[in-house]
Amino acid sequence: MKTAILFFATLFSVIAYGQSGNVSINIRNEQQQALENATAELLRASDSSLVRTALSDPSGVASFENIPAGSYIIRTSVTGFSVAYSNAFSVNSAGVVAVPAVTLTAKVQQMTEVTVTAKKPFIQKLNDRIVVNVDNSIVNAGSTALEVLERSPGITIDQNDAISLRGRSGVIIMIDGKPSPMSGADLANYLRGLPSNAIERIDIITNPSARYDAAGNSGIIDIRMKKDQRHGTNGTVTAGYGQGIYPKANAGITFNHRNKVMNAFGNYNYSYRKFLNHLVLDRNFYNQGVFIGGDDKDNYAVMPTRFHSARAGMDFFPSKKTILGFVVNS
Protein backbone atom coordinates (compact mmCIF):
# COMPACT_ATOMS: atom_id res chain seq x y z
CA MET A 1 0.00 0.00 0.00
CA LYS A 2 2.76 2.41 0.94
CA THR A 3 4.56 1.61 -2.30
CA ALA A 4 1.48 2.51 -4.31
CA ILE A 5 1.02 5.75 -2.35
CA LEU A 6 4.66 6.67 -2.90
CA PHE A 7 4.38 5.95 -6.62
CA PHE A 8 1.28 8.11 -7.15
CA ALA A 9 2.63 10.89 -4.93
CA THR A 10 5.85 10.97 -6.94
CA LEU A 11 3.91 10.86 -10.21
CA PHE A 12 1.68 13.73 -9.07
CA SER A 13 4.68 15.85 -8.06
CA VAL A 14 6.34 15.36 -11.45
CA ILE A 15 3.13 16.25 -13.28
CA ALA A 16 2.58 19.32 -11.11
CA TYR A 17 6.13 20.49 -11.68
CA GLY A 18 5.73 20.28 -15.45
CA GLN A 19 2.28 21.87 -15.58
CA SER A 20 1.64 24.67 -18.00
CA GLY A 21 -1.48 26.54 -18.98
CA ASN A 22 -3.03 28.43 -21.86
CA VAL A 23 -3.76 32.16 -21.85
CA SER A 24 -6.29 34.14 -23.87
CA ILE A 25 -7.14 37.83 -24.05
CA ASN A 26 -9.82 39.77 -25.92
CA ILE A 27 -8.68 42.96 -27.70
CA ARG A 28 -11.28 45.60 -28.60
CA ASN A 29 -11.53 49.22 -29.69
CA GLU A 30 -13.41 52.03 -27.94
CA GLN A 31 -16.68 50.94 -29.56
CA GLN A 32 -16.09 47.43 -28.14
CA GLN A 33 -15.56 46.03 -31.61
CA ALA A 34 -13.09 43.20 -32.08
CA LEU A 35 -9.62 44.17 -33.36
CA GLU A 36 -8.23 41.56 -35.75
CA ASN A 37 -4.47 41.08 -36.26
CA ALA A 38 -3.56 43.07 -33.17
CA THR A 39 -0.18 42.09 -31.73
CA ALA A 40 -0.20 40.64 -28.21
CA GLU A 41 3.13 40.19 -26.43
CA LEU A 42 3.29 38.00 -23.34
CA LEU A 43 5.81 39.51 -20.91
CA ARG A 44 7.14 38.29 -17.59
CA ALA A 45 5.79 40.54 -14.86
CA SER A 46 9.12 40.55 -12.99
CA ASP A 47 11.32 42.06 -15.72
CA SER A 48 9.07 42.61 -18.81
CA SER A 49 11.11 40.11 -20.85
CA LEU A 50 9.29 38.78 -23.92
CA VAL A 51 8.05 35.18 -23.65
CA ARG A 52 5.72 34.75 -26.64
CA THR A 53 3.84 36.75 -29.27
CA ALA A 54 0.43 36.18 -30.85
CA LEU A 55 -1.99 37.83 -33.28
CA SER A 56 -5.66 38.28 -32.52
CA ASP A 57 -8.20 36.36 -34.63
CA PRO A 58 -11.31 37.86 -36.31
CA SER A 59 -13.11 37.78 -32.94
CA GLY A 60 -10.30 39.82 -31.35
CA VAL A 61 -8.95 36.95 -29.24
CA ALA A 62 -5.21 36.31 -28.96
CA SER A 63 -4.10 33.00 -27.43
CA PHE A 64 -0.89 31.61 -25.96
CA GLU A 65 -0.40 27.87 -25.45
CA ASN A 66 1.78 25.85 -23.06
CA ILE A 67 2.84 28.77 -20.89
CA PRO A 68 4.94 27.77 -17.85
CA ALA A 69 3.70 28.68 -14.38
CA GLY A 70 4.55 32.24 -13.40
CA SER A 71 3.34 35.82 -13.29
CA TYR A 72 2.80 37.70 -16.57
CA ILE A 73 1.39 40.80 -18.24
CA ILE A 74 0.27 41.27 -21.86
CA ARG A 75 1.23 44.22 -24.06
CA THR A 76 -1.23 44.84 -26.91
CA SER A 77 -0.78 47.08 -29.93
CA VAL A 78 -2.06 47.69 -33.44
CA THR A 79 -1.32 50.38 -36.01
CA GLY A 80 -3.25 53.58 -35.36
CA PHE A 81 -4.00 52.79 -31.72
CA SER A 82 -2.21 53.46 -28.43
CA VAL A 83 -0.41 50.62 -26.68
CA ALA A 84 -2.30 49.04 -23.77
CA TYR A 85 -1.21 46.65 -21.00
CA SER A 86 -3.22 44.08 -19.09
CA ASN A 87 -3.08 43.75 -15.33
CA ALA A 88 -0.64 41.20 -13.95
CA PHE A 89 -1.98 37.65 -13.76
CA SER A 90 -0.66 34.23 -12.77
CA VAL A 91 -0.47 30.89 -14.55
CA ASN A 92 -0.21 28.16 -11.92
CA SER A 93 -2.16 25.19 -13.23
CA ALA A 94 -3.33 23.50 -16.39
CA GLY A 95 -6.32 25.05 -18.10
CA VAL A 96 -7.10 28.37 -19.74
CA VAL A 97 -6.45 31.69 -18.00
CA ALA A 98 -8.88 34.24 -19.46
CA VAL A 99 -7.32 37.67 -18.99
CA PRO A 100 -9.85 40.54 -18.78
CA ALA A 101 -10.40 42.27 -22.13
CA VAL A 102 -8.31 45.31 -23.01
CA THR A 103 -9.52 48.35 -24.94
CA LEU A 104 -7.22 50.16 -27.35
CA THR A 105 -7.86 53.84 -27.99
CA ALA A 106 -7.31 55.46 -31.38
CA LYS A 107 -4.39 57.86 -31.63
CA VAL A 108 -5.40 61.46 -32.28
CA GLN A 109 -2.55 63.75 -33.25
CA GLN A 110 -2.50 67.38 -34.29
CA MET A 111 -0.20 67.62 -37.30
CA THR A 112 1.91 70.71 -37.90
CA GLU A 113 4.08 69.19 -40.59
CA VAL A 114 4.13 65.78 -42.23
CA THR A 115 7.17 63.52 -42.45
CA VAL A 116 6.61 60.23 -44.24
CA THR A 117 8.70 57.34 -42.95
CA ALA A 118 8.42 53.61 -43.60
CA LYS A 119 9.07 51.01 -40.93
CA LYS A 120 7.88 47.44 -40.92
CA PRO A 121 6.18 46.25 -37.74
CA PHE A 122 7.70 43.45 -35.65
CA ILE A 123 4.83 41.09 -36.63
CA GLN A 124 3.07 41.31 -40.01
CA LYS A 125 -0.02 39.33 -41.03
CA LEU A 126 -0.13 38.78 -44.79
CA ASN A 127 -2.65 36.80 -46.84
CA ASP A 128 -0.72 33.53 -46.76
CA ARG A 129 1.77 33.92 -43.93
CA ILE A 130 2.90 35.67 -40.77
CA VAL A 131 6.17 37.60 -41.09
CA VAL A 132 8.44 38.23 -38.11
CA ASN A 133 10.75 41.17 -38.91
CA VAL A 134 13.60 40.24 -36.58
CA ASP A 135 15.47 43.57 -36.66
CA ASN A 136 12.36 45.53 -35.68
CA SER A 137 12.33 44.39 -32.05
CA ILE A 138 15.01 45.36 -29.56
CA VAL A 139 14.12 42.21 -27.63
CA ASN A 140 15.80 40.07 -30.30
CA ALA A 141 19.17 41.82 -29.94
CA GLY A 142 21.76 39.28 -28.80
CA SER A 143 19.33 36.37 -29.20
CA THR A 144 19.78 33.22 -31.23
CA ALA A 145 17.53 32.04 -34.06
CA LEU A 146 16.08 29.36 -31.77
CA GLU A 147 15.14 31.96 -29.14
CA VAL A 148 13.50 34.18 -31.78
CA LEU A 149 11.46 31.21 -33.04
CA GLU A 150 10.37 30.38 -29.49
CA ARG A 151 8.89 33.89 -29.10
CA SER A 152 7.17 33.89 -32.51
CA PRO A 153 3.39 33.43 -32.84
CA GLY A 154 2.16 29.86 -33.09
CA ILE A 155 5.59 28.23 -32.64
CA THR A 156 6.35 25.90 -29.72
CA ILE A 157 9.70 24.31 -28.89
CA ASP A 158 9.65 21.52 -26.30
CA GLN A 159 12.39 20.35 -23.94
CA ASN A 160 13.71 18.01 -26.64
CA ASP A 161 14.08 20.91 -29.13
CA ALA A 162 11.25 19.58 -31.29
CA ILE A 163 9.63 22.48 -33.20
CA SER A 164 5.86 22.48 -33.71
CA LEU A 165 3.53 25.00 -35.34
CA ARG A 166 0.08 25.47 -33.80
CA GLY A 167 0.51 22.18 -31.98
CA ARG A 168 1.42 20.20 -35.10
CA SER A 169 4.77 18.48 -35.53
CA GLY A 170 6.47 17.69 -38.83
CA VAL A 171 7.17 21.33 -39.63
CA ILE A 172 9.55 21.98 -42.53
CA ILE A 173 12.36 24.40 -41.72
CA MET A 174 13.67 26.32 -44.72
CA ILE A 175 16.67 28.61 -45.13
CA ASP A 176 16.17 31.20 -47.88
CA GLY A 177 13.32 29.19 -49.42
CA LYS A 178 15.21 25.89 -49.52
CA PRO A 179 14.50 22.98 -47.12
CA SER A 180 17.22 22.57 -44.53
CA PRO A 181 19.02 19.21 -44.80
CA MET A 182 19.39 19.17 -41.01
CA SER A 183 16.87 17.89 -38.49
CA GLY A 184 16.57 17.06 -34.82
CA ALA A 185 19.56 17.91 -32.63
CA ASP A 186 21.67 19.05 -35.60
CA LEU A 187 19.07 21.61 -36.62
CA ALA A 188 18.59 22.81 -33.02
CA ASN A 189 22.34 23.27 -32.59
CA TYR A 190 22.56 25.18 -35.87
CA LEU A 191 19.74 27.52 -34.82
CA ARG A 192 21.36 28.01 -31.40
CA GLY A 193 24.55 29.12 -33.09
CA LEU A 194 22.83 31.44 -35.56
CA PRO A 195 22.58 34.97 -34.10
CA SER A 196 19.46 37.00 -34.74
CA ASN A 197 21.45 39.82 -36.38
CA ALA A 198 22.15 37.50 -39.34
CA ILE A 199 18.41 37.06 -40.02
CA GLU A 200 16.30 39.50 -42.03
CA ARG A 201 12.90 37.94 -41.35
CA ILE A 202 11.07 34.70 -40.56
CA ASP A 203 8.07 33.63 -42.66
CA ILE A 204 5.57 31.41 -40.82
CA ILE A 205 3.30 29.59 -43.28
CA THR A 206 0.60 27.61 -41.47
CA ASN A 207 -1.26 26.43 -44.60
CA PRO A 208 1.28 25.88 -47.40
CA SER A 209 -0.04 26.23 -50.93
CA ALA A 210 0.42 23.70 -53.73
CA ARG A 211 3.76 25.25 -54.73
CA TYR A 212 5.33 23.69 -51.61
CA ASP A 213 6.11 20.05 -50.99
CA ALA A 214 3.12 18.11 -49.68
CA ALA A 215 5.28 16.93 -46.78
CA GLY A 216 4.99 20.42 -45.37
CA ASN A 217 1.25 20.22 -44.65
CA SER A 218 1.99 20.78 -40.95
CA GLY A 219 3.46 24.15 -41.81
CA ILE A 220 6.63 25.81 -43.03
CA ILE A 221 9.06 28.11 -41.23
CA ASP A 222 11.26 29.94 -43.71
CA ILE A 223 14.27 31.76 -42.23
CA ARG A 224 15.41 34.50 -44.60
CA MET A 225 19.02 35.54 -44.14
CA LYS A 226 20.24 39.08 -44.74
CA LYS A 227 21.46 40.03 -48.20
CA ASP A 228 22.55 43.53 -49.04
CA GLN A 229 20.75 44.87 -52.12
CA ARG A 230 23.06 47.83 -52.67
CA HIS A 231 25.47 47.84 -55.59
CA GLY A 232 29.17 47.88 -54.82
CA THR A 233 31.26 46.27 -52.10
CA ASN A 234 30.22 46.53 -48.48
CA GLY A 235 30.17 44.62 -45.24
CA THR A 236 29.26 44.78 -41.57
CA VAL A 237 30.83 43.76 -38.29
CA THR A 238 28.62 43.11 -35.28
CA ALA A 239 29.21 42.15 -31.68
CA GLY A 240 26.96 41.67 -28.68
CA TYR A 241 27.23 40.89 -25.01
CA GLY A 242 24.65 40.00 -22.40
CA GLN A 243 24.85 39.25 -18.71
CA GLY A 244 22.48 37.14 -16.71
CA ILE A 245 23.63 34.63 -14.14
CA TYR A 246 26.31 33.81 -16.70
CA PRO A 247 27.54 35.89 -19.66
CA LYS A 248 26.69 35.39 -23.31
CA ALA A 249 28.36 36.93 -26.33
CA ASN A 250 28.18 36.86 -30.11
CA ALA A 251 30.08 38.32 -33.02
CA GLY A 252 29.70 38.26 -36.75
CA ILE A 253 31.00 39.62 -40.03
CA THR A 254 29.24 39.89 -43.40
CA PHE A 255 30.56 40.63 -46.88
CA ASN A 256 28.65 41.56 -50.03
CA HIS A 257 29.69 42.53 -53.56
CA ARG A 258 26.91 43.30 -56.04
CA ASN A 259 26.71 44.60 -59.61
CA LYS A 260 24.26 44.27 -62.50
CA VAL A 261 25.13 40.68 -63.35
CA MET A 262 26.08 39.00 -60.06
CA ASN A 263 26.01 39.18 -56.28
CA ALA A 264 28.61 37.51 -54.07
CA PHE A 265 27.93 37.27 -50.36
CA GLY A 266 29.14 35.56 -47.23
CA ASN A 267 29.08 35.73 -43.46
CA TYR A 268 30.61 34.16 -40.39
CA ASN A 269 29.03 34.12 -36.93
CA TYR A 270 30.29 33.04 -33.54
CA SER A 271 28.38 32.78 -30.28
CA TYR A 272 29.26 31.78 -26.76
CA ARG A 273 26.88 31.16 -23.90
CA LYS A 274 26.39 29.09 -20.78
CA PHE A 275 23.14 27.17 -20.45
CA LEU A 276 21.93 26.81 -16.88
CA ASN A 277 19.61 24.06 -15.70
CA HIS A 278 18.64 24.45 -12.05
CA LEU A 279 15.95 21.95 -11.01
CA VAL A 280 14.72 21.88 -7.41
CA LEU A 281 12.33 19.08 -6.40
CA ASP A 282 10.70 19.04 -2.96
CA ARG A 283 8.39 16.07 -2.52
CA ASN A 284 6.39 15.18 0.59
CA PHE A 285 4.61 11.83 0.95
CA TYR A 286 1.57 11.22 3.15
CA ASN A 287 -0.39 8.14 4.20
CA GLN A 288 -3.91 8.99 5.38
CA GLY A 289 -2.84 12.52 6.24
CA VAL A 290 0.29 11.42 8.15
CA PHE A 291 3.67 12.53 6.85
CA ILE A 292 5.73 9.42 6.08
CA GLY A 293 8.76 10.84 4.29
CA GLY A 294 10.20 13.32 1.86
CA ASP A 295 12.56 13.57 -1.06
CA ASP A 296 14.52 16.76 -1.77
CA LYS A 297 16.71 17.16 -4.83
CA ASP A 298 18.71 20.15 -6.04
CA ASN A 299 20.16 19.60 -9.51
CA TYR A 300 22.45 22.32 -10.83
CA ALA A 301 24.07 21.96 -14.23
CA VAL A 302 26.06 24.49 -16.27
CA MET A 303 26.81 23.77 -19.93
CA PRO A 304 29.19 26.18 -21.70
CA THR A 305 28.81 26.08 -25.48
CA ARG A 306 30.50 27.68 -28.47
CA PHE A 307 28.95 27.80 -31.92
CA HIS A 308 30.50 28.65 -35.29
CA SER A 309 28.54 29.07 -38.52
CA ALA A 310 29.65 30.22 -41.96
CA ARG A 311 27.75 30.86 -45.17
CA ALA A 312 28.87 31.88 -48.66
CA GLY A 313 27.20 32.05 -52.03
CA MET A 314 26.75 33.77 -55.37
CA ASP A 315 23.71 34.86 -57.38
CA PHE A 316 23.73 35.49 -61.12
CA PHE A 317 21.11 37.57 -62.97
CA PRO A 318 20.86 36.39 -66.61
CA SER A 319 17.62 38.38 -66.97
CA LYS A 320 15.35 40.61 -64.88
CA LYS A 321 13.12 37.66 -63.99
CA THR A 322 15.74 34.96 -63.55
CA ILE A 323 18.22 34.33 -60.74
CA LEU A 324 20.73 31.47 -60.66
CA GLY A 325 22.79 30.92 -57.58
CA PHE A 326 24.31 28.62 -54.99
CA VAL A 327 24.86 28.75 -51.24
CA VAL A 328 27.27 26.79 -49.05
CA ASN A 329 26.64 26.49 -45.30
CA SER A 330 28.85 25.06 -42.61
Side-chain angles (χ1 to χ4, degrees), residues 80-207:
F81 289 79
S82 299
V83 174
Y85 291 84
S86 72
N87 293 326
F89 61 92
S90 296
V91 177
N92 49 32
S93 63
V96 178
V97 177
V99 180
V102 295
T103 300
L104 303 187
T105 58
K107 289 182 180 179
V108 179
Q109 296 178 339
Q110 186 69 33
M111 293 186 299
T112 55
E113 59 182 75
V114 177
T115 302
V116 179
T117 59
K119 182 181 179 182
K120 293 180 180 178
F122 174 38
I123 306 292
Q124 281 183 290
K125 178 69 169 68
L126 305 181
N127 290 335
D128 62 340
R129 68 192 63 200
I130 296 172
V131 179
V132 180
N133 295 300
V134 178
D135 271 350
N136 289 16
S137 174
I138 189 70
V139 175
N140 291 323
S143 300
T144 67
L146 196 67
E147 292 169 338
V148 175
L149 285 177
E150 196 170 21
R151 302 183 188 118
S152 300
I155 298 177
T156 305
I157 302 175
D158 64 17
Q159 66 272 19
N160 297 317
D161 295 331
I163 300 173
S164 58
L165 183 57
R166 293 191 175 178
R168 296 179 294 180
S169 57
V171 180
I172 288 181
I173 305 296
M174 291 185 169
I175 309 293
D176 286 335
K178 303 176 182 62
S180 171
M182 297 174 286
S183 61
D186 291 336
L187 177 61
N189 288 334
Y190 171 75
L191 295 176
R192 278 199 187 93
L194 184 63
S196 62
N197 55 25
I199 302 172
E200 178 185 356
R201 72 177 195 270
I202 298 174
D203 293 348
I204 303 171
I205 308 171
T206 54
N207 296 301

Side-chain angles (χ1 to χ4, degrees), residues 44-101:
R44 287 192 178 89
S46 58
D47 57 6
S48 297
S49 59
L50 179 63
V51 177
R52 197 80 56 82
T53 57
L55 292 175
S56 59
D57 61 19
S59 63
V61 176
S63 303
F64 305 91
E65 298 181 350
N66 299 320
I67 303 303
S71 182
Y72 302 94
I73 58 175
I74 296 178
R75 179 183 185 270
T76 55
S77 61
V78 67
T79 303
F81 289 79
S82 299
V83 174
Y85 291 84
S86 72
N87 293 326
F89 61 92
S90 296
V91 177
N92 49 32
S93 63
V96 178
V97 177
V99 180

Side-chain angles (χ1 to χ4, degrees), residues 213-322:
D213 193 321
N217 56 10
S218 295
I220 292 173
I221 299 173
D222 190 0
I223 301 174
R224 294 284 178 166
M225 308 298 288
K226 287 182 178 177
K227 282 185 184 179
D228 202 315
Q229 301 297 318
R230 294 172 297 177
H231 281 209
T233 302
N234 48 72
T236 60
V237 177
T238 59
Y241 177 85
Q243 181 67 52
I245 297 177
Y246 294 102
K248 62 179 182 180
N250 62 74
I253 183 171
T254 65
F255 167 83
N256 202 91
H257 176 76
R258 186 183 185 94
N259 55 36
K260 293 182 179 180
V261 297
M262 58 84 67
N263 181 43
F265 55 91
N267 62 56
Y268 166 77
N269 294 286
Y270 166 81
S271 65
Y272 168 82
R273 58 185 58 217
K274 284 186 178 181
F275 293 98
L276 170 64
N277 184 14
H278 191 190
L279 177 63
V280 178
L281 296 177
D282 183 5
R283 299 168 178 162
N284 295 322
F285 308 129
Y286 295 86
N287 184 7
Q288 297 180 354
V290 178
F291 178 74
I292 58 175
D295 180 21
D296 296 338
K297 288 186 174 66
D298 188 347
N299 301 318
Y300 193 94
V302 178
M303 297 157 283
T305 55
R306 293 177 173 83
F307 299 101
H308 302 267
S309 64
R311 179 172 175 269
M314 292 187 71
D315 291 331
F316 300 93
F317 315 119
S319 69
K320 291 183 178 180
K321 297 184 179 180
T322 304

